[in-house]
Amino acid sequence: MADPKGFLKYERVEPPKRPKEHRAEDWREVYVDLEPAERDQQVRTQATRCMDCGIPFCHSAGSGCPLGNLIPEWNDLVRRGDWTAASDRLHATNNFPEFTGKLCPAPCEAGCTLSISPLSGGPVAIKRVEATIAEKSWELGLAQPQIAEVASGQRVAVVGSGPAGLAAAQQLTRAGHDVTVFERDDRLGGLLRYGIPEFKMEKKHLDKRLAQLKKEGTQFVTGCEVGVDITVEELRARYDAVVLAVGALRGRDDTTTPGRELKGIHLAMEHLVPANKQCEGDGPSPIHAHGKHVVIIGGGDTGADSYGTAIRQGAASVVQLDQYPMPPTTRDDERSPWPTWPYVLRTYPAHEEGGERKFGVAVRRFVGDENGHVRAIELQQVKVVKDPETGRREVLPVSDEIEEIPADLVLFAIGFEGVEHMRLLDDLGIQLTRRGTISCGPDWQTEAPGVFVCGDAHRGASLVVWAIAEGRSVANAVDAYLTGASDLPAPVHPTALPLAVV
């Protein structure tokens, strides 16, 4: 069994990063590429900090990993150096552990028993262990294609090639179904391809998994918008079931702030997508930060992605704005008690590379030049108040003082409003909810018979780990719909929510 005193013997150690002045000059991942022997020894030590708790909240869907990753099991296998068994246990619940190991914010670590008190030295470095198991799986040749022994004769169309769509497609292909994934972009991967910057996850990891899916028999069609390039009637005629994994890419905008119409103001994805395409070799991005004063409105993941991208593009300055006050650096047990996701200040590697963040401020107006291009932003200190009856939030100024900062490029990273309006949904007769998502029944089936939904399209913009969990779960539902029963895992229910204080 695990060493119950391992966390007392060893400190939590984060993976080492490359010097910030070096990594800001290229698009490679920010972490040091350690020699395998040194990496393995470091990670085995980190895995030794796991106590193999009697009730492991780390892999509880409510408070930790919605995939139900068997974290204490593979931590102990890594501690003992049994990478083959660790890979087997990890892949038993997760199709793409390198995606989650690099991109997931790790609710598992927030639910780790060692997160109860800072005196423990911090949670087990679960994310680092997971990423290393994934790397070892490829190095040892363990991530082999799994070919179905018996074909079902049933055909399934998956619309969207993000993590949810790919997880559903792989599970259904391995169950013996004939699966085709349709992607409207010119390359596969959805947000993994064009939304996630190269410095967070190099696309070679995505490409390896796509090659695995293709060898297993999953077919892919790119540059095809379902509902336009292939009609719903054709889709229905060719396939026995349809999975909608179209994401929630309708970016939230703010059209009420004076000056919003000025040139140089964009949604963050309008900046990130062409930047990623440039990394793919498609030529220079039309929205580039070189030599510009960049202001990013919004404090989340997308804002941090734009922040790091702007720095690598050679911005003259980068400022990120957040209307909320600076969060505390340690967990507030009254606001977000263990094992819920803690409300704390999150500093991304990009924030270490330059620029600054401003909290408790909002844009009063955008200031333009004589050519109608943004040149500055007027800021005002604010507070966000919540109506106890309606739950609606209102941003109120707390000072008359106005601060003006230079701005040549402004990027809105204030979230997403849901699924984009598309002909596909109209022709299927599917209406979006008030949250802009696609609803479903307990079997993941939408109001259109034989049409299922998963991922951000169902949940709203969420985490990569939830997308994979929903993709695996919808595969179980589709398999049962086509064959009458299914042995495929279904880690989450359509109504599942992470544990939270309300």
Side-chain angles (χ1 to χ4, degrees):
M1 62 174 290
D3 183 351
K5 297 183 179 181
F7 76 99
L8 296 173
K9 299 176 182 177
Y10 306 107
E11 296 181 351
R12 176 185 169 101
V13 178
E14 300 290 349
K17 303 185 189 76
R18 297 191 291 129
K20 58 185 179 181
E21 60 272 15
H22 293 167
R23 66 180 193 249
E25 295 177 351
D26 60 44
W27 294 91
R28 292 166 46 214
E29 291 180 15
V30 302
Y31 296 101
V32 173
D33 190 12
L34 295 173
E35 288 296 321
E38 181 182 3
R39 175 205 61 194
D40 295 353
Q41 185 55 53
Q42 287 188 15
V43 172
R44 289 182 63 183
T45 299
Q46 290 304 298
T48 303
R49 299 185 70 245
C50 177
M51 298 183 293
D52 191 15
C53 303
I55 302 178
F57 283 83
C58 58
H59 66 72
S60 162
S63 60
C65 179
L67 278 167
N69 278 335
L70 305 170
I71 295 167
E73 293 186 30
W74 43 255
N75 271 339
D76 190 53
L77 290 166
V78 168
R79 176 183 70 88
R80 292 189 272 128
D82 191 344
W83 296 99
T84 299
S87 173
D88 179 69
R89 300 311 287 148
L90 177 55
H91 282 92
T93 57
N94 189 350
N95 298 72
F96 314 120
E98 59 270 70
F99 300 172
T100 49
K102 293 178 182 294
L103 303 176
C104 183
C108 53
E109 294 189 10
C112 175
T113 302
L114 296 181
S115 287
I116 294 177
S117 170
L119 298 177
S120 70
V124 176
I126 299 169
K127 183 175 175 178
R128 185 179 182 187
V129 177
E130 178 182 38
T132 304
I133 297 173
E135 290 177 25
K136 292 289 289 188
S137 298
W138 290 107
E139 292 170 5
L140 298 175
L142 303 174
Q144 294 296 318
Q146 298 180 26
I147 312 298
E149 295 183 358
V150 179
S152 71
Q154 304 282 351
R155 306 189 70 194
V156 182
V158 176
V159 185
S161 66
L166 292 179
Q170 184 165 63
Q171 293 293 95
L172 289 166
T173 297
R174 290 176 172 179
H177 302 299
D178 185 355
V179 181
T180 301
V181 178
F182 292 90
E183 172 56 59
R184 67 180 179 182
D185 284 332
D186 58 341
R187 295 183 179 90
L188 298 168
L191 279 181
L192 293 174
R193 175 74 64 183
Y194 287 143
I196 301 298
E198 189 83 352
F199 58 83
K200 285 182 69 174
M201 186 184 78
E202 294 177 12
K203 301 306 177 284
K204 63 183 181 182
H205 304 293
L206 171 60
D207 292 336
K208 284 193 291 188
R209 283 296 175 184
L210 290 170
Q212 182 191 46
L213 266 73
K214 291 175 182 177
K215 290 178 181 178
E216 290 173 344
T218 302
Q219 301 175 61
F220 294 93
V221 180
T222 57
C224 179
E225 183 172 356
V226 180
V228 178
D229 300 305
I230 176 175
T231 67
V232 166
E233 290 76 14
E234 292 172 322
L235 195 73
R236 290 288 208 177
R238 296 182 192 175
Y239 298 95
D240 302 295
V242 177
V243 175
L244 301 179
V246 295
L249 298 174
R250 182 153 45 93
R252 182 173 288 116
D253 201 347
D254 176 11
T255 59
T256 62
T257 302
R260 172 61 183 88
E261 73 285 353
L262 292 169
K263 290 179 285 187
I265 303 176
H266 305 273
L267 299 183
M269 293 305 297
E270 297 172 359
H271 173 237
L272 288 173
V273 171
N276 278 300
K277 287 191 173 186
Q278 183 173 350
C279 288
E280 295 276 2
D282 289 354
S285 169
I287 302 174
H288 207 281
H290 182 73
K292 296 179 180 178
H293 297 288
V294 179
V295 177
I296 300 164
I297 302 173
D301 282 8
T302 304
D305 292 346
S306 291
Y307 195 111
T309 298
I311 287 177
R312 282 158 180 76
Q313 289 179 336
S317 67
V318 181
V319 179
Q320 187 174 16
L321 309 178
D322 193 328
Q323 64 187 8
Y324 293 96
M326 180 184 291
T329 55
T330 57
R331 184 195 292 267
D332 181 345
D333 288 332
E334 292 187 4
R335 180 167 186 169
S336 53
W338 178 87
T340 63
W341 182 246
Y343 175 70
V344 294
L345 178 66
R346 304 188 188 282
T347 299
Y348 298 81
H351 294 132
E352 304 168 355
E353 298 164 358
E356 65 174 314
R357 289 188 281 180
K358 292 180 178 290
F359 294 91
V361 296
V363 178
R364 181 173 179 269
R365 74 181 183 107
F366 300 104
V367 181
D369 60 18
E370 62 277 8
N371 298 316
H373 197 286
V374 66
R375 68 164 182 81
I377 290 179
E378 291 184 356
L379 298 179
Q380 201 167 13
Q381 292 183 332
V382 298
K383 65 177 180 179
V384 181
V385 296
K386 181 179 179 180
D387 188 310
E389 294 184 0
T390 66
R392 296 188 61 180
R393 289 176 169 82
E394 187 177 3
V395 181
L396 302 175
V398 296
S399 171
D400 293 331
E401 183 180 351
I402 304 298
E403 178 186 7
E404 184 173 290
I405 61 174
D408 306 308
L409 175 61
V410 178
L411 302 170
F412 275 103
I414 54 177
F416 298 87
E417 293 186 335
V419 178
E420 294 176 296
H421 299 292
M422 56 185 71
R423 182 173 174 178
L424 168 62
L425 301 183
D426 294 337
D427 291 351
L428 286 171
I430 294 176
Q431 300 290 324
L432 297 180
T433 68
R434 288 190 298 176
R435 295 177 52 246
T437 58
I438 300 173
S439 63
C440 67
D443 62 351
W444 298 91
Q445 195 166 185
T446 69
E447 55 191 307
V451 179
F452 300 76
V453 65
C454 64
D456 287 0
H458 163 254
R459 175 167 295 275
S462 186
L463 308 180
V464 62
V465 69
W466 276 98
I468 297 172
E470 292 211 355
R472 289 171 65 87
S473 298
V474 85
N476 169 281
V478 173
D479 188 34
Y481 171 80
L482 294 175
T483 65
S486 179
D487 292 328
L488 294 177
V492 293
H493 187 270
T495 60
L497 294 173
L499 185 67
V501 176
V502 296

